[in-house]
Amino acid sequence: MNADPAAFRFVSTNRRVREDRRFVAGHGHFVADVALEGMLHVAILPSQHPAARIVSIDASAALAMPGVHYVLSGDELAAATDPLMNGLDTPKVQRHPLAVGQARYAGEWVVAVVAETRALAEDATEKVRVTYEPLPFVMNAEEALKPDSPPVHPAHGSNVLLDRTFVWGEVEKHFAESPRHLSFRVIWGRNSTVPIETFGVAASWDPWRDMLDVWASIQMPKYPDQIARALRIAANGVRVHQDVDVGGSYGVKRGIKQTVLVAHLARRLGRPVRLIEDRLENMRGGDAHGPERIFDVDVAFNNDGIVKSMKIRALDNAGAYAGRAPFQLGKPIGAIVGPYKIESVQYRAQSVTTNKAVQEAVRGFGQAPTNYAIETAIDKVAAAVGLERIEVRRRNFIRKDEFPYLIPSGSTYDSGDYHTVVDKVFAHIDFAAMEKERDRLRASGMLAGIGIAACLEPSGGNSSFEPLLNEKNTTTTWMDSCRINIDALGFVTVTIHNTSSGQGHETLVATVIGEVLQIEPDLIRVIRPDSLACLPSNSPVGSRMAIMLGGAAFHAAQKLKTKLTRIAAHQFGLGDDKVIYAAGGVKDPNSDRQLGWAEIINIAHRNHHLLPEGMEPGLESTHVMQVPTGGTLPKDGRVQMYPCHSFEFHVVLMAIDPALGKPEIRRYVIGHDCGTVINPHIVKGMTLGGVAHGLGAALLEEFVYDDEGHLITQSFMDYLLPSAHEVPEVEIVHHCTPSPYTVFGQKGSGESGYLGAPAAIAAAVNDCVASIGISFNKLPIRISAIGDAIADAQHGKSQEQAK
């Protein structure tokens, strides 16, 4: 279909987001709104030790309390269920919803108490007595690598989950030939998305029908399958109700351990059971933590600032269990050179277990930390050769006429026009004027600087990093699907087969189908059936919904459009290619004959004698869509990862008062190219939220543990989120380079803003303080760190002057 926005009727227009109406009016339907008759409630008793053997559990006092129904231990649950699935082939790193035999991090769930109310269950947890035998523990990833470090899982043999080195291209040759090299380390602090809603799940078991009903705030591929596996029941005995709204996620709403726990209790007690995490349960043990990563980077380049090769070592602290954490080292392989023509790369991906909370998927799935490392490298190259940072980027950018572009690791970038996006941003901000404003701020006594970052957002959500890092995994498809039905009165009902996570899927699908069928999108109803009535889907992850769900909706609508056209053409006695479909009707261009929407619908549903021979009556279509460019296994360590690649270019003007050390963003501009924008409001919301999220990762948010292995940022008093005071007005400069692999030319935007904001903000801070001879290489760069470093630099300078 034509990707020119001028050719669209509904796509790329500023249509309202239909979901917003119910949310703004307070009529969303969340898991906390699910009230089942006779429902019991769960509270969790966590471990107070980072590592300890569980000697005994005495629940007698808790069970004696009125209204308390059950106290569940890890041993009992493990006997009735199978271990949760690991992404890697690590059978000795077993994970259960409750600790079995040993607690492996402070905050790990040890006991679940079930009572008539949540408050009563919480009170009862205080009556449970657990006897522990403390064990040695390890918190630091580099310490965990050492052979003599305390083993988190002794049966596994070490703390190493993954240690894989990839070499793409002639790395050693390019390093030997390059006249300049530099090396550095940067560190990405442990943070997350911290949604407003914690994870919640309710479950009910019907023994007469052998049916488990689940309502949950999930964002999890293969969720029903994993529940069935763990509970040892048939997959068609799990019915997930997908009409539950999700109050924020961006990766962390995986919820498998919570669901298995609650589902087991519902079966055991014969009553519905619900768990809604409180903030403490969520932050210290609710699988809410994101990557914690150390990058050691070597760069080979010439005197003109052209980067020839890189060596990257990424060491990730996965926490106490494997889960999907190591895969967050895999996804960045699909954009390992960013938007640059770097000819060869050596990439060592290491993941280790420690006695911290489990790392789960977070927005970007490991791409934002990698972008931070790549953009730091480009800034350092510019400084080394004495060129402007933007000039070095321009020299290294892939040019528009070089697409599709094959990068060393095996992925092909679909399209892009990076130079034009940069030019548009610079024209928008008047970069010379911004530099003058920076200089004015410096003259007034402020520390001021400009940060820039250019990065890619791989989108389309393929799973090819899984077989790349685990050869036993042979998955080559990550499909999504859509079903459309036009009833006998001409009304269109669409089913989509995943949960809502706030990305406007209903608006997306209605817009796409309205565009194809040329009918008003607001007249199209979009529903989510339960999982037993669903077609295959892999959930809203990996910036994939515009591409995959939008593509499935497009193709399903095209099938219906073809059928409508054929029915009308048959009435005219013409071939399908001799008539024109327009505005829901069909006309003969060589006469005044035409059939409207209602007439064609009536024939399809009521006049079988008027249908073409062999055509089924009714109007229903489905489409299951494979990922564009997907379908192959890795070969020789190279793989086609995601099909589409959006581009971001960030420019930040920052000022720091040297007396306070508080960074203040004076201006924030982002150039954004995600191909054809289906709904501008949704993309804008994603981008603004992503920038705010990135600001938190750069300056504020971190899960910090003390020397005793305890999490000390357990509430929003300590885990600092950006507020309206910190988040600046964000100016967005749009550009459209359509993807050749998608139906409208669209690319993903679910991670936009976040993937480049931390790098740009960190660069701005370092530009601010460069004049006093300091820099920062670890995120977040907190106010206290900035203030202390400035004070130390000024004190050292004053001492030097006093000599």
Side-chain angles (χ1 to χ4, degrees), residues 560-577:
L560 278 176
K561 181 179 176 181
T562 298
K563 185 172 183 177
L564 292 166
T565 301
R566 187 179 172 206
I567 291 172
H570 184 66
Q571 311 314 305
F572 301 151
L574 298 174
D576 301 355
D577 58 344

Side-chain angles (χ1 to χ4, degrees), residues 267-280:
R267 295 175 74 197
R268 177 70 176 79
L269 301 177
R271 288 178 62 176
V273 178
R274 187 175 76 182
L275 167 63
I276 306 289
E277 296 174 336
D278 67 16
R279 189 60 65 180
L280 283 174

Side-chain angles (χ1 to χ4, degrees), residues 162 173 236 275 303 307 391 554 558 594 631 642 711 732:
L162 173 71
K173 176 185 176 184
N236 62 3
L275 167 63
N303 294 324
V307 178
E391 177 59 26
F554 174 92
Q558 285 282 27
Q594 60 182 2
Y642 285 24
L711 180 68
I732 304 175

Side-chain angles (χ1 to χ4, degrees), residues 31-42 69 114-118 201-203 215 271-276:
V31 68
D33 298 317
V34 175
L36 305 174
E37 184 177 354
M39 186 162 65
L40 300 174
H41 301 266
V42 178
H69 287 258
V114 189
E116 291 288 340
T117 67
R118 166 74 194 203
V201 57
W215 297 260
R271 288 178 62 176
V273 178
R274 187 175 76 182
L275 167 63
I276 306 289

Side-chain angles (χ1 to χ4, degrees), residues 311-351:
K311 297 178 181 179
I312 302 174
R313 178 232 190 186
L315 172 61
D316 207 35
N317 187 329
Y321 298 96
R324 290 181 64 81
F327 286 155
Q328 295 196 82
L329 290 164
K331 182 207 171 173
I333 289 172
I336 196 66
V337 296
Y340 306 111
K341 294 191 291 185
I342 300 173
E343 295 182 32
S344 62
V345 179
Q346 176 181 299
Y347 179 60
R348 185 178 186 184
Q350 295 177 292
S351 180

Side-chain angles (χ1 to χ4, degrees), residues 22-330:
R22 71 174 187 265
F23 293 141
V24 171
H27 289 282
H29 179 61
F30 299 93
V31 68
D33 298 317
V34 175
L36 305 174
E37 184 177 354
M39 186 162 65
L40 300 174
H41 301 266
V42 178
I44 300 297
L45 178 66
S47 168
Q48 301 302 312
H49 301 275
R53 188 173 70 86
I54 301 171
V55 178
S56 65
I57 298 174
D58 181 1
S60 57
L63 289 168
M65 295 175 64
V68 174
H69 287 258
Y70 206 71
V71 175
L72 179 66
S73 70
D75 286 342
E76 178 187 340
L77 183 58
T81 60
D82 287 340
L84 306 183
M85 292 181 66
N86 283 339
L88 296 177
D89 183 21
T90 52
K92 300 295 185 181
V93 184
Q94 293 193 357
R95 183 184 183 191
H96 297 269
L98 299 175
V100 178
Q102 177 180 332
R104 289 179 167 83
Y105 63 95
E108 182 171 11
W109 296 2
V110 176
V111 169
V113 177
V114 189
E116 291 288 340
T117 67
R118 166 74 194 203
L120 183 56
E122 287 185 5
D123 290 343
T125 62
E126 298 179 4
K127 299 293 186 180
V128 178
R129 295 290 177 261
V130 182
T131 302
Y132 294 98
E133 179 186 305
L135 298 171
F137 59 91
V138 60
M139 308 298 288
N140 179 275
E142 291 186 302
E143 289 296 319
L145 274 176
K146 296 178 179 178
D148 59 348
S149 67
V152 180
H153 295 269
H156 182 61
S158 77
N159 291 321
V160 178
L161 296 170
L162 173 71
D163 190 350
R164 181 89 179 268
T165 299
F166 299 91
V167 179
W168 303 297
E170 299 181 289
V171 174
E172 295 303 331
K173 176 185 176 184
H174 290 150
F175 265 79
E177 293 175 348
S178 297
R180 289 175 176 260
H181 300 167
L182 61 81
S183 302
F184 64 92
R185 167 174 284 196
V186 289
I187 300 171
W188 180 275
R190 176 177 284 238
N191 64 75
S192 191
T193 64
V194 197
I196 294 173
E197 177 199 47
T198 59
F199 186 80
V201 57
S204 177
W205 173 252
D206 184 343
W208 307 111
R209 293 177 176 82
D210 289 333
M211 182 63 66
L212 177 71
D213 284 284
V214 177
W215 297 260
S217 55
I218 55 165
Q219 184 196 2
M220 178 65 190
K222 307 295 191 296
Y223 178 69
D225 300 354
Q226 294 200 47
I227 297 170
R229 284 173 182 265
L231 292 173
R232 304 169 186 165
I233 61 178
N236 62 3
V238 177
R239 180 166 53 201
V240 178
H241 295 263
Q242 301 197 125
D243 57 347
V244 176
D245 290 315
V246 179
S249 174
Y250 282 102
V252 297
K253 294 283 182 72
R254 297 284 154 158
I256 296 298
K257 80 171 186 183
Q258 296 93 330
T259 304
V260 171
L261 168 66
V262 168
H264 170 78
L265 287 168
R267 295 175 74 197
R268 177 70 176 79
L269 301 177
R271 288 178 62 176
V273 178
R274 187 175 76 182
L275 167 63
I276 306 289
E277 296 174 336
D278 67 16
R279 189 60 65 180
L280 283 174
E281 288 168 345
N282 176 258
M283 294 186 74
R284 67 189 175 191
D287 303 344
H289 293 204
E292 177 185 350
R293 195 167 296 175
I294 299 170
F295 291 94
D296 292 307
V297 183
D298 299 306
V299 187
F301 56 103
N302 65 22
N303 294 324
D304 295 322
I306 303 300
V307 178
K308 294 286 289 184
S309 185
M310 288 194 307
K311 297 178 181 179
I312 302 174
R313 178 232 190 186
L315 172 61
D316 207 35
N317 187 329
Y321 298 96
R324 290 181 64 81
F327 286 155
Q328 295 196 82
L329 290 164

